[in-house]
Amino acid sequence: MMVAPLRLGFVAMFAAAACAPNGMAFAQGPAGSVKLAPHVAIYDLSLTSSRGKRALEGVRGRIVYDFSGSACEGYALNFRQVTELDSGEGKVALSDLRTATWEEGDGKSFRFKSQNYMDSKQIGDVDGRADRARNSVAVKLSKPGDKKFDAGTVVFPTEHMRLLIEAAQAGKTLLEVAVYDGSESGEKIYQSLSVIGRRIEPEKK
């Protein structure tokens, strides 16, 4: 059994310009007007309901999302999700998913590594990198096996977050884009559609 990470949306703080050598400011790439703030987010997980023939009686766990870096240094993400799965009659399994990624500030290169454990036994191991050429992204995996493939026109996770903020700043309500984050076996591409709601002022319902 493999427990995939929750796909979380974050609103990051931003500034008007990215950094450059010698302290000069410049627009960087398609999302150069957005500067993301390092932050740590912690989420406690619990089961509210369960349906189906193999329904779980209880789930509890925690997610830690640690995002750091800058447009100059690149962006690093350390993600861990530990979940206790209670299927009843004293049968409890412990899932532990660990992911580390690094993304170049201009979105041209992306490195990723993930390990998945069930009851302390490793059941998944992915390691690889992706590099952007002119019109596509080339992916090279070293784990779970040596493999190369063309991911097509995709964006990486941090670039996706910046594009979402830019779309909101521009008053757009939809953003549709293919996202590659190296998850699952390293070959998954997510076709994402984001819906952006209207701004809610402070103290308003």
Side-chain angles (χ1 to χ4, degrees):
M1 180 180 182
M2 180 177 290
V3 177
L6 300 182
R7 305 198 61 76
L8 304 172
F10 295 90
V11 177
M13 297 185 67
F14 52 87
C19 60
N22 302 320
M24 296 176 64
F26 69 102
Q28 184 175 24
S33 64
V34 174
K35 182 179 179 182
L36 302 175
H39 60 282
V40 177
I42 300 175
Y43 299 86
D44 287 323
L45 307 176
S46 62
L47 180 68
T48 56
S49 64
S50 180
R51 291 177 292 181
K53 294 181 180 180
R54 300 181 63 183
L56 293 169
E57 288 195 1
V59 176
R60 64 174 185 170
R62 176 166 290 182
I63 290 174
V64 178
Y65 181 102
D66 186 350
F67 179 83
S68 62
S70 68
C72 299
E73 302 168 350
Y75 296 99
L77 172 63
N78 287 288
F79 174 100
R80 188 171 183 182
Q81 178 178 327
V82 179
T83 312
E84 188 179 80
L85 308 165
D86 184 356
S87 57
E89 300 180 353
K91 297 179 180 179
V92 178
L94 185 67
S95 169
D96 186 353
L97 176 64
R98 310 168 188 179
T99 300
T101 66
W102 180 85
E103 184 175 334
E104 195 171 342
D106 58 5
K108 291 183 178 179
S109 182
F110 179 62
R111 298 199 301 265
F112 53 91
K113 181 177 179 64
S114 65
Q115 296 173 313
N116 200 2
Y117 296 85
M118 183 63 70
D119 292 332
S120 300
K121 180 181 178 181
Q122 189 170 24
I123 60 173
D125 192 6
V126 178
D127 195 349
R129 66 176 296 150
D131 296 286
R132 187 180 309 281
R134 178 173 297 179
N135 296 315
S136 64
V137 169
V139 178
K140 181 179 181 181
L141 299 175
S142 58
K143 293 180 181 180
D146 289 333
K147 186 171 186 178
K148 297 180 181 179
F149 65 94
D150 188 341
T153 304
V154 298
V155 299
F156 303 134
T158 304
E159 184 179 6
H160 184 216
M161 196 181 334
R162 295 184 303 186
L163 290 173
L164 275 169
I165 295 171
E166 280 203 332
Q169 289 176 323
K172 297 179 180 179
T173 57
L174 294 175
L175 177 67
E176 187 173 5
V177 65
V179 181
Y180 178 77
D181 65 0
S183 63
E184 298 191 19
S185 64
E187 300 181 52
K188 178 72 174 180
I189 297 173
Y190 293 93
Q191 303 297 330
S192 72
L193 174 64
S194 303
V195 179
I196 304 169
R198 63 180 178 84
R199 177 182 175 88
I200 300 175
E201 299 294 339
E203 308 301 329
K204 293 291 182 68
K205 293 183 179 181

